[in-house]
Amino acid sequence: MITLRLILGDQLNPQHRWFSETADDIVYVLMEIRQETDYVLHHAQKILAIFAAMRDMARQLKERGHRVHYLTIDDVENRQSLPANIDYLIAHYQASGFEYQAPDEWRLDQQLYEHGRRTALAWVMVDSEHFYTTRSEAAEIFTGRRQWLMEYFYRQMRVRHHILMADAAKPAGGQWNYDHDNRKPWRGTPPEPVDARICHDHSALWHAIVAAGVQSFGNPQAHQLAWALNRAEALQQLDAFIEQALPHFGDFQDAMNSHAWRLFHSLLSFALNVKMLNPREVVGKAEAAYRSGHASLAAVEGFIRQILGWREYVRGVYWTNMPDYGQHNVFGHSNGLPAWFWTGQTKMRCLSHAIGQSLEQAHAHHIQRLMVIGNFALLAGLDPHALHCWYLGVYIDAFEWVEMPNTLGMSQFADGGLLATKPYVSSAAYIDRMSDYCKGCHYDKKARLGERACPYNALYWDFFYRNADRLANNPRIGMVYRQLDKMDAESIEGFSARAQMLRANLDQL
Ligand code: FAD
């Protein structure tokens, strides 16, 4: 009797215990389906990179002696949905059992659970063996606590997993967090490391995707796609990052530059999120770089905090709050996305760069996502759900469990402060300090009023003014309200009128 084992497109971990032995009565199933290409409009590179990596995973499994059934996007037997394909394969193999790894997205978890309830087959979900934490562990850690502070969670993780510790209770170096050291702008030195990622020509696959009628946006870069195809390539990318970029990661973590899109970031989120890499090995190699003296504690702690802290924490926020989390919209924002979100063609140089780069590379780093694009979206009152769909579509690493809390919680404060302790917004001054974007911009970074005044400025003051009821008592933003208190009625009227005009004419900016 045959057991089918499903491998989803973000479960490409060849080290999973499933694969430790071969067996003739087990068939591994991978499928390229319209259900997954179409649930939002996706960047071309995201579809291409996932399908290419799935095909490579199937190749690896076959080489290791496993039985594999792969449904390509243009296979005539492909029903294009998960339940319909599962039913077809169960009938085809007369299967007696169906197994799958715990999905990371709520919609797939529900779909598979519901389908299982309706069948008489042995239906088994197993661990994906990827994360440090279970789905409910963050909720357990925060039991009885009013606020879900990431820092509290992160310290628990450091202790539990004995990472960057001096002893069982004390952090290495005597300090838990070096965030304050990690805020330098980048002025051209040290040079950005070369992009050592391996490129592949996926033109044939791209042709098949287009011929199947899949819609997408962004540059496919099909003949030279640089996202890791498999674990071997991801490990090579990890080693290159540790060697060349990690020592500078901390210093320039928040920097942005129009001539250097990667700076010292790892670009490992795709390989991590599709599980080619395990977070433990990434964290382990980073810690070893500190222990050997290759990288400073501030750099390594800053990097490890993102993976051991933020990544696990947002996953906990997601699983504790789904399915309602996606509905949050505490400010009631409803403006549609400006048309230039799909072209990058705006006169605001920072947004033109950050969005243009996202369309070109399917990637932007954290501060571009948070303090340029997300910042503008919140100030301009864009509909958080529409924004969530854009982020979920555009980035190579976007899977709902990690994208949604980052977009709705961290960047839009749409959950009213469940995740972030304050809204991450700024005027032009922050963007100017951390980047070269304002140089040569059509708009004047210093001006608040007038046609050439940078839109961020009036929108920033107007945002806090409009939302005083909700935000004025937040101790982390008391300074803003003290400044607003000192402003005269004419100034307030001025920025309010300009902000209103800007919000009504977003396509023209
Ligand atoms: P690095 O800067 O090299 O960081 C190392 C790793 O840390 C990343 O690969 C990632 O796995 C992890 N990490 C860093 N920051 C976060 C974070 N805030 N939450 C979770 N993990 C983090 N990350 C995604 O993986 N998928 C998303 O869909 C996603 N959407 C985002 C949307 C918004 C609005 C914001 C503000 C952030 C989002 N992030 C997302 C987090 C972060 O921007 C990306 O993880 C990072 O830019 C990926 O590039 P990198 O691999 O070079 O990261």
Side-chain angles (χ1 to χ4, degrees), residues 19-67:
F19 311 122
S20 55
E21 286 174 4
T22 55
D24 281 345
D25 57 355
I26 292 177
V27 176
Y28 290 99
V29 170
L30 296 98
M31 50 183 90
E32 300 170 354
I33 44 181
R34 293 296 296 267
Q35 171 191 316
E36 292 307 292
T37 57
D38 296 5
Y39 64 87
V40 286
L41 187 65
H42 281 107
H43 195 294
Q45 286 183 41
K46 191 176 166 194
I47 301 168
L48 201 45
I50 293 175
F51 282 8
M54 286 168 65
R55 289 181 180 205
D56 199 75
M57 176 79 175
R59 176 194 63 78
Q60 293 169 53
L61 292 179
K62 282 185 199 157
E63 275 177 15
R64 284 163 60 177
H66 296 287
R67 289 181 71 183

CSV table of all heavy atoms in Angstrom, one decimal, residues 19-67:
chain,number,residue,atom,x,y,z
A,19,PHE,N,13.5,11.8,4.7
A,19,PHE,CA,14.4,11.4,3.5
A,19,PHE,C,15.6,10.5,4.0
A,19,PHE,O,16.4,10.2,3.2
A,19,PHE,CB,14.9,12.6,2.7
A,19,PHE,CG,13.8,13.6,2.4
A,19,PHE,CD1,13.8,14.9,2.8
A,19,PHE,CD2,12.7,13.1,1.7
A,19,PHE,CE1,12.8,15.8,2.5
A,19,PHE,CE2,11.6,14.0,1.4
A,19,PHE,CZ,11.7,15.3,1.8
A,20,SER,N,15.6,10.2,5.3
A,20,SER,CA,16.8,9.4,5.8
A,20,SER,C,16.8,8.0,5.2
A,20,SER,O,17.8,7.4,5.1
A,20,SER,CB,16.8,9.4,7.3
A,20,SER,OG,15.6,8.9,7.8
A,21,GLU,N,15.6,7.5,4.8
A,21,GLU,CA,15.6,6.1,4.3
A,21,GLU,C,14.7,6.1,3.0
A,21,GLU,O,13.8,6.9,2.9
A,21,GLU,CB,14.9,5.1,5.3
A,21,GLU,CG,15.8,4.8,6.4
A,21,GLU,CD,15.0,3.9,7.4
A,21,GLU,OE1,13.9,3.6,7.2
A,21,GLU,OE2,15.7,3.6,8.5
A,22,THR,N,15.0,5.2,2.1
A,22,THR,CA,14.1,5.1,0.9
A,22,THR,C,13.2,4.0,1.1
A,22,THR,O,13.5,3.0,1.9
A,22,THR,CB,14.9,4.8,-0.4
A,22,THR,OG1,15.7,3.7,-0.1
A,22,THR,CG2,15.8,6.0,-0.7
A,23,ALA,N,12.0,4.0,0.5
A,23,ALA,CA,11.0,3.0,0.7
A,23,ALA,C,10.1,3.0,-0.6
A,23,ALA,O,9.7,4.0,-1.1
A,23,ALA,CB,10.1,3.2,1.9
A,24,ASP,N,9.9,1.8,-1.1
A,24,ASP,CA,9.1,1.6,-2.3
A,24,ASP,C,7.6,2.0,-2.2
A,24,ASP,O,6.9,2.3,-3.1
A,24,ASP,CB,9.2,0.2,-2.9
A,24,ASP,CG,10.5,-0.1,-3.6
A,24,ASP,OD1,11.1,1.0,-3.9
A,24,ASP,OD2,10.8,-1.2,-3.8
A,25,ASP,N,7.2,2.0,-0.9
A,25,ASP,CA,5.7,2.3,-0.7
A,25,ASP,C,5.5,3.7,-0.3
A,25,ASP,O,4.4,4.1,0.2
A,25,ASP,CB,5.2,1.3,0.4
A,25,ASP,CG,5.9,1.4,1.7
A,25,ASP,OD1,6.9,2.1,1.7
A,25,ASP,OD2,5.5,0.8,2.7
A,26,ILE,N,6.5,4.6,-0.5
A,26,ILE,CA,6.3,6.0,-0.3
A,26,ILE,C,6.6,6.8,-1.5
A,26,ILE,O,7.6,6.6,-2.2
A,26,ILE,CB,7.3,6.5,0.9
A,26,ILE,CG1,6.8,5.9,2.2
A,26,ILE,CG2,7.3,8.0,1.0
A,26,ILE,CD1,7.7,6.2,3.3
A,27,VAL,N,5.6,7.6,-1.9
A,27,VAL,CA,5.8,8.5,-3.1
A,27,VAL,C,5.7,9.9,-2.6
A,27,VAL,O,4.8,10.4,-2.0
A,27,VAL,CB,4.7,8.2,-4.1
A,27,VAL,CG1,4.8,9.2,-5.3
A,27,VAL,CG2,4.7,6.8,-4.6
A,28,TYR,N,6.8,10.7,-2.9
A,28,TYR,CA,6.8,12.1,-2.6
A,28,TYR,C,6.2,12.9,-3.7
A,28,TYR,O,6.4,12.6,-4.9
A,28,TYR,CB,8.3,12.6,-2.4
A,28,TYR,CG,8.9,12.0,-1.1
A,28,TYR,CD1,9.7,10.8,-1.2
A,28,TYR,CD2,8.5,12.5,0.1
A,28,TYR,CE1,10.1,10.2,0.0
A,28,TYR,CE2,9.0,11.9,1.3
A,28,TYR,CZ,9.8,10.8,1.2
A,28,TYR,OH,10.2,10.2,2.4
A,29,VAL,N,5.4,13.9,-3.3
A,29,VAL,CA,4.6,14.6,-4.3
A,29,VAL,C,4.9,16.1,-4.2
A,29,VAL,O,4.9,16.7,-3.1
A,29,VAL,CB,3.1,14.4,-3.9
A,29,VAL,CG1,2.2,15.3,-4.7
A,29,VAL,CG2,2.6,12.9,-4.1
A,30,LEU,N,5.2,16.6,-5.4
A,30,LEU,CA,5.4,18.1,-5.5
A,30,LEU,C,4.5,18.6,-6.6
A,30,LEU,O,4.4,17.9,-7.6
A,30,LEU,CB,6.9,18.5,-5.7
A,30,LEU,CG,7.9,18.1,-4.7
A,30,LEU,CD1,8.6,16.8,-5.0
A,30,LEU,CD2,9.0,19.2,-4.5
A,31,MET,N,4.0,19.8,-6.4
A,31,MET,CA,3.1,20.2,-7.5
A,31,MET,C,3.2,21.8,-7.7
A,31,MET,O,3.2,22.5,-6.8
A,31,MET,CB,1.6,19.8,-7.2
A,31,MET,CG,1.1,20.1,-5.9
A,31,MET,SD,-0.6,19.6,-5.6
A,31,MET,CE,-0.3,17.9,-4.9
A,32,GLU,N,3.3,22.2,-9.0
A,32,GLU,CA,3.3,23.6,-9.3
A,32,GLU,C,1.8,23.9,-9.7
A,32,GLU,O,1.3,23.5,-10.7
A,32,GLU,CB,4.1,23.8,-10.6
A,32,GLU,CG,5.6,23.4,-10.4
A,32,GLU,CD,6.4,23.4,-11.7
A,32,GLU,OE1,5.8,23.6,-12.8
A,32,GLU,OE2,7.6,23.2,-11.6
A,33,ILE,N,1.2,24.7,-8.8
A,33,ILE,CA,-0.3,24.9,-9.1
A,33,ILE,C,-0.7,26.4,-9.1
A,33,ILE,O,-0.1,27.2,-8.4
A,33,ILE,CB,-1.1,24.2,-8.0
A,33,ILE,CG1,-0.5,24.4,-6.6
A,33,ILE,CG2,-1.2,22.7,-8.3
A,33,ILE,CD1,-1.3,23.7,-5.4
A,34,ARG,N,-1.7,26.6,-9.9
A,34,ARG,CA,-2.3,28.0,-10.0
A,34,ARG,C,-2.8,28.5,-8.7
A,34,ARG,O,-2.8,29.7,-8.4
A,34,ARG,CB,-3.4,28.0,-11.1
A,34,ARG,CG,-2.9,27.7,-12.5
A,34,ARG,CD,-1.9,28.8,-13.0
A,34,ARG,NE,-2.5,30.1,-13.1
A,34,ARG,CZ,-3.1,30.6,-14.2
A,34,ARG,NH1,-3.1,29.9,-15.3
A,34,ARG,NH2,-3.6,31.8,-14.2
A,35,GLN,N,-3.3,27.6,-7.9
A,35,GLN,CA,-3.7,28.0,-6.6
A,35,GLN,C,-2.6,28.8,-5.9
A,35,GLN,O,-2.9,29.9,-5.2
A,35,GLN,CB,-4.1,26.8,-5.7
A,35,GLN,CG,-4.3,27.1,-4.2
A,35,GLN,CD,-4.4,25.9,-3.3
A,35,GLN,OE1,-5.0,24.9,-3.7
A,35,GLN,NE2,-3.8,26.0,-2.2
A,36,GLU,N,-1.4,28.4,-6.0
A,36,GLU,CA,-0.3,29.0,-5.3
A,36,GLU,C,0.3,30.2,-6.1
A,36,GLU,O,0.9,31.1,-5.5
A,36,GLU,CB,0.8,28.0,-4.9
A,36,GLU,CG,0.3,27.0,-3.9
A,36,GLU,CD,-0.2,27.7,-2.6
A,36,GLU,OE1,0.5,28.4,-1.9
A,36,GLU,OE2,-1.4,27.6,-2.4
A,37,THR,N,0.2,30.2,-7.4
A,37,THR,CA,0.7,31.3,-8.2
A,37,THR,C,-0.2,32.5,-8.1
A,37,THR,O,0.2,33.6,-8.3
A,37,THR,CB,1.0,31.0,-9.7
A,37,THR,OG1,-0.2,30.5,-10.2
A,37,THR,CG2,2.1,29.9,-9.8
A,38,ASP,N,-1.5,32.2,-7.9
A,38,ASP,CA,-2.6,33.2,-8.1
A,38,ASP,C,-3.2,33.8,-6.9
A,38,ASP,O,-4.1,34.7,-7.0
A,38,ASP,CB,-3.7,32.6,-9.0
A,38,ASP,CG,-3.2,32.3,-10.4
A,38,ASP,OD1,-2.0,32.4,-10.6
A,38,ASP,OD2,-4.1,31.9,-11.2
A,39,TYR,N,-2.8,33.4,-5.6
A,39,TYR,CA,-3.6,33.9,-4.5
A,39,TYR,C,-3.3,35.4,-4.2
A,39,TYR,O,-4.1,36.1,-3.6
A,39,TYR,CB,-3.3,33.0,-3.2
A,39,TYR,CG,-1.9,33.0,-2.7
A,39,TYR,CD1,-1.5,34.0,-1.8
A,39,TYR,CD2,-1.1,32.0,-3.1
A,39,TYR,CE1,-0.2,34.0,-1.3
A,39,TYR,CE2,0.2,32.0,-2.6
A,39,TYR,CZ,0.7,33.0,-1.7
A,39,TYR,OH,2.0,33.0,-1.3
A,40,VAL,N,-2.2,35.9,-4.7
A,40,VAL,CA,-2.0,37.3,-4.9
A,40,VAL,C,-1.2,37.4,-6.2
A,40,VAL,O,-0.6,36.4,-6.7
A,40,VAL,CB,-1.1,38.0,-3.8
A,40,VAL,CG1,-1.9,38.2,-2.5
A,40,VAL,CG2,0.2,37.4,-3.6
A,41,LEU,N,-1.1,38.6,-6.8
A,41,LEU,CA,-0.2,38.8,-8.0
A,41,LEU,C,1.2,38.8,-7.5
A,41,LEU,O,1.6,39.6,-6.6
A,41,LEU,CB,-0.6,40.2,-8.6
A,41,LEU,CG,0.1,40.4,-10.0
A,41,LEU,CD1,-0.3,39.4,-11.0
A,41,LEU,CD2,-0.1,41.8,-10.4
A,42,HIS,N,2.0,37.9,-8.1
A,42,HIS,CA,3.4,37.7,-7.6
A,42,HIS,C,4.4,38.3,-8.5
A,42,HIS,O,4.2,38.3,-9.7
A,42,HIS,CB,3.7,36.2,-7.5
A,42,HIS,CG,3.1,35.5,-6.2
A,42,HIS,ND1,2.0,34.7,-6.3
A,42,HIS,CD2,3.5,35.6,-4.9
A,42,HIS,CE1,1.8,34.3,-5.0
A,42,HIS,NE2,2.6,34.8,-4.2
A,43,HIS,N,5.6,38.6,-7.9
A,43,HIS,CA,6.7,39.0,-8.7
A,43,HIS,C,7.2,37.7,-9.5
A,43,HIS,O,7.2,36.6,-9.0
A,43,HIS,CB,7.8,39.4,-7.7
A,43,HIS,CG,9.0,40.1,-8.4
A,43,HIS,ND1,9.8,39.5,-9.3
A,43,HIS,CD2,9.4,41.4,-8.3
A,43,HIS,CE1,10.7,40.4,-9.8
A,43,HIS,NE2,10.5,41.6,-9.1
A,44,ALA,N,7.6,38.0,-10.7
A,44,ALA,CA,8.0,36.9,-11.6
A,44,ALA,C,9.1,36.0,-11.0
A,44,ALA,O,9.1,34.8,-11.1
A,44,ALA,CB,8.4,37.4,-12.9
A,45,GLN,N,10.1,36.7,-10.3
A,45,GLN,CA,11.2,35.9,-9.8
A,45,GLN,C,10.8,35.0,-8.7
A,45,GLN,O,11.4,34.0,-8.4
A,45,GLN,CB,12.3,36.9,-9.2
A,45,GLN,CG,13.0,37.6,-10.3
A,45,GLN,CD,14.1,38.5,-9.8
A,45,GLN,OE1,14.8,38.1,-8.8
A,45,GLN,NE2,14.3,39.6,-10.4
A,46,LYS,N,9.7,35.4,-7.9
A,46,LYS,CA,9.3,34.5,-6.8
A,46,LYS,C,8.7,33.2,-7.4
A,46,LYS,O,9.0,32.1,-6.9
A,46,LYS,CB,8.2,35.3,-6.0
A,46,LYS,CG,7.9,34.6,-4.7
A,46,LYS,CD,7.0,35.4,-3.9
A,46,LYS,CE,6.4,34.6,-2.7
A,46,LYS,NZ,5.2,35.3,-2.1
A,47,ILE,N,7.9,33.3,-8.4
A,47,ILE,CA,7.3,32.1,-9.0
A,47,ILE,C,8.4,31.2,-9.6
A,47,ILE,O,8.5,30.0,-9.3
A,47,ILE,CB,6.3,32.5,-10.1
A,47,ILE,CG1,5.2,33.4,-9.5
A,47,ILE,CG2,5.7,31.2,-10.8
A,47,ILE,CD1,4.3,34.0,-10.6
A,48,LEU,N,9.3,31.9,-10.3
A,48,LEU,CA,10.4,31.2,-11.0
A,48,LEU,C,11.3,30.5,-10.0
A,48,LEU,O,11.7,29.3,-10.1
A,48,LEU,CB,11.1,32.2,-11.8
A,48,LEU,CG,12.0,31.8,-13.0
A,48,LEU,CD1,11.3,30.8,-13.9
A,48,LEU,CD2,12.4,33.1,-13.8
A,49,ALA,N,11.7,31.2,-9.0
A,49,ALA,CA,12.7,30.7,-8.0
A,49,ALA,C,12.1,29.5,-7.2
A,49,ALA,O,12.8,28.5,-7.0
A,49,ALA,CB,13.1,31.8,-7.0
A,50,ILE,N,10.9,29.6,-6.9
A,50,ILE,CA,10.2,28.5,-6.1
A,50,ILE,C,10.1,27.3,-7.0
A,50,ILE,O,10.4,26.2,-6.6
A,50,ILE,CB,8.9,29.0,-5.5
A,50,ILE,CG1,9.2,30.0,-4.4
A,50,ILE,CG2,8.2,27.8,-4.9
A,50,ILE,CD1,7.9,30.6,-3.8
A,51,PHE,N,9.6,27.5,-8.2
A,51,PHE,CA,9.4,26.3,-9.1
A,51,PHE,C,10.7,25.7,-9.4
A,51,PHE,O,10.9,24.4,-9.5
A,51,PHE,CB,8.7,26.7,-10.4
A,51,PHE,CG,7.2,26.9,-10.3
A,51,PHE,CD1,6.5,26.9,-9.0
A,51,PHE,CD2,6.4,27.1,-11.4
A,51,PHE,CE1,5.2,27.0,-8.9
A,51,PHE,CE2,5.0,27.3,-11.3
A,51,PHE,CZ,4.4,27.2,-10.0
A,52,ALA,N,11.7,26.5,-9.7
A,52,ALA,CA,13.1,26.0,-10.1
A,52,ALA,C,13.6,25.2,-8.9
A,52,ALA,O,14.2,24.1,-9.1
A,52,ALA,CB,14.0,27.1,-10.5
A,53,ALA,N,13.5,25.7,-7.7
A,53,ALA,CA,14.0,25.0,-6.5
A,53,ALA,C,13.2,23.7,-6.3
A,53,ALA,O,13.8,22.7,-5.8
A,53,ALA,CB,14.0,25.9,-5.3
A,54,MET,N,11.9,23.7,-6.5
A,54,MET,CA,11.1,22.5,-6.3
A,54,MET,C,11.6,21.4,-7.3
A,54,MET,O,11.7,20.3,-7.0
A,54,MET,CB,9.6,22.8,-6.6
A,54,MET,CG,8.9,23.6,-5.5
A,54,MET,SD,7.3,24.2,-6.0
A,54,MET,CE,6.4,22.7,-6.2
A,55,ARG,N,11.8,21.9,-8.6
A,55,ARG,CA,12.3,20.9,-9.6
A,55,ARG,C,13.6,20.3,-9.2
A,55,ARG,O,13.9,19.1,-9.3
A,55,ARG,CB,12.3,21.6,-10.9
A,55,ARG,CG,11.0,21.8,-11.5
A,55,ARG,CD,11.0,22.5,-12.9
A,55,ARG,NE,9.6,22.7,-13.3
A,55,ARG,CZ,9.2,22.8,-14.6
A,55,ARG,NH1,10.1,22.7,-15.6
A,55,ARG,NH2,8.0,23.0,-14.9
A,56,ASP,N,14.5,21.2,-8.6
A,56,ASP,CA,15.8,20.7,-8.2
A,56,ASP,C,15.7,19.7,-7.0
A,56,ASP,O,16.4,18.7,-6.9
A,56,ASP,CB,16.7,21.8,-7.8
A,56,ASP,CG,18.2,21.4,-7.9
A,56,ASP,OD1,18.7,21.2,-9.0
A,56,ASP,OD2,18.7,21.1,-6.8
A,57,MET,N,14.7,20.0,-6.1
A,57,MET,CA,14.5,19.1,-4.9
A,57,MET,C,14.0,17.7,-5.4
A,57,MET,O,14.5,16.7,-4.9
A,57,MET,CB,13.4,19.8,-4.1
A,57,MET,CG,13.0,18.9,-2.9
A,57,MET,SD,14.2,19.1,-1.5
A,57,MET,CE,13.3,18.1,-0.3
A,58,ALA,N,13.1,17.7,-6.4
A,58,ALA,CA,12.7,16.5,-7.0
A,58,ALA,C,13.8,15.7,-7.6
A,58,ALA,O,14.0,14.5,-7.4
A,58,ALA,CB,11.6,16.7,-8.0
A,59,ARG,N,14.7,16.4,-8.3
A,59,ARG,CA,15.9,15.8,-8.9
A,59,ARG,C,16.7,15.1,-7.8
A,59,ARG,O,17.1,14.0,-7.9
A,59,ARG,CB,16.7,16.8,-9.7
A,59,ARG,CG,18.0,16.3,-10.2
A,59,ARG,CD,18.9,17.4,-10.7
A,59,ARG,NE,19.4,18.3,-9.6
A,59,ARG,CZ,20.3,18.0,-8.7
A,59,ARG,NH1,21.0,16.9,-8.8
A,59,ARG,NH2,20.7,18.9,-7.8
A,60,GLN,N,17.0,15.9,-6.7
A,60,GLN,CA,17.8,15.4,-5.6
A,60,GLN,C,17.2,14.1,-5.0
A,60,GLN,O,17.9,13.1,-4.8
A,60,GLN,CB,18.0,16.4,-4.5
A,60,GLN,CG,18.7,17.7,-4.9
A,60,GLN,CD,18.6,18.7,-3.7
A,60,GLN,OE1,18.8,18.4,-2.6
A,60,GLN,NE2,18.1,19.9,-4.1
A,61,LEU,N,15.9,14.2,-4.8
A,61,LEU,CA,15.3,13.0,-4.2
A,61,LEU,C,15.4,11.8,-5.1
A,61,LEU,O,15.7,10.7,-4.6
A,61,LEU,CB,13.8,13.3,-3.8
A,61,LEU,CG,13.6,14.4,-2.7
A,61,LEU,CD1,12.1,14.6,-2.5
A,61,LEU,CD2,14.3,14.0,-1.4
A,62,LYS,N,15.1,12.0,-6.3
A,62,LYS,CA,15.2,10.8,-7.3
A,62,LYS,C,16.6,10.3,-7.3
A,62,LYS,O,16.8,9.0,-7.2
A,62,LYS,CB,14.8,11.3,-8.7
A,62,LYS,CG,13.3,11.4,-8.9
A,62,LYS,CD,13.0,11.7,-10.4
A,62,LYS,CE,11.6,12.3,-10.5
A,62,LYS,NZ,11.5,13.1,-11.7
A,63,GLU,N,17.6,11.1,-7.3
A,63,GLU,CA,19.0,10.7,-7.3
A,63,GLU,C,19.3,9.9,-6.0
A,63,GLU,O,20.2,9.0,-6.0
A,63,GLU,CB,19.9,11.9,-7.4
A,63,GLU,CG,20.2,12.3,-8.8
A,63,GLU,CD,21.1,13.6,-8.9
A,63,GLU,OE1,21.7,13.9,-7.9
A,63,GLU,OE2,21.1,14.2,-9.9
A,64,ARG,N,18.6,10.2,-4.9
A,64,ARG,CA,18.9,9.5,-3.7
A,64,ARG,C,18.0,8.2,-3.6
A,64,ARG,O,18.0,7.5,-2.6
A,64,ARG,CB,18.6,10.4,-2.5
A,64,ARG,CG,19.7,11.4,-2.3
A,64,ARG,CD,19.3,12.6,-1.4
A,64,ARG,NE,18.9,12.2,-0.1
A,64,ARG,CZ,18.6,13.1,0.9
A,64,ARG,NH1,18.7,14.4,0.6
A,64,ARG,NH2,18.2,12.7,2.1
A,65,GLY,N,17.3,7.9,-4.6
A,65,GLY,CA,16.5,6.6,-4.7
A,65,GLY,C,15.1,6.7,-4.2
A,65,GLY,O,14.4,5.7,-4.1
A,66,HIS,N,14.6,7.9,-4.0
A,66,HIS,CA,13.2,8.1,-3.6
A,66,HIS,C,12.2,8.1,-4.8
A,66,HIS,O,12.6,8.5,-5.9
A,66,HIS,CB,13.0,9.4,-2.8
A,66,HIS,CG,13.8,9.4,-1.5
A,66,HIS,ND1,13.4,8.7,-0.4
A,66,HIS,CD2,14.9,10.1,-1.2
A,66,HIS,CE1,14.3,9.0,0.5
A,66,HIS,NE2,15.2,9.8,0.1
A,67,ARG,N,11.0,7.6,-4.6
A,67,ARG,CA,10.0,7.7,-5.6
A,67,ARG,C,9.3,9.1,-5.5
A,67,ARG,O,9.0,9.6,-4.5
A,67,ARG,CB,8.9,6.7,-5.4
A,67,ARG,CG,9.3,5.3,-5.7
A,67,ARG,CD,8.1,4.3,-5.5
A,67,ARG,NE,7.1,4.4,-6.5
A,67,ARG,CZ,6.0,3.7,-6.5
A,67,ARG,NH1,5.7,2.9,-5.5
A,67,ARG,NH2,5.1,3.9,-7.4
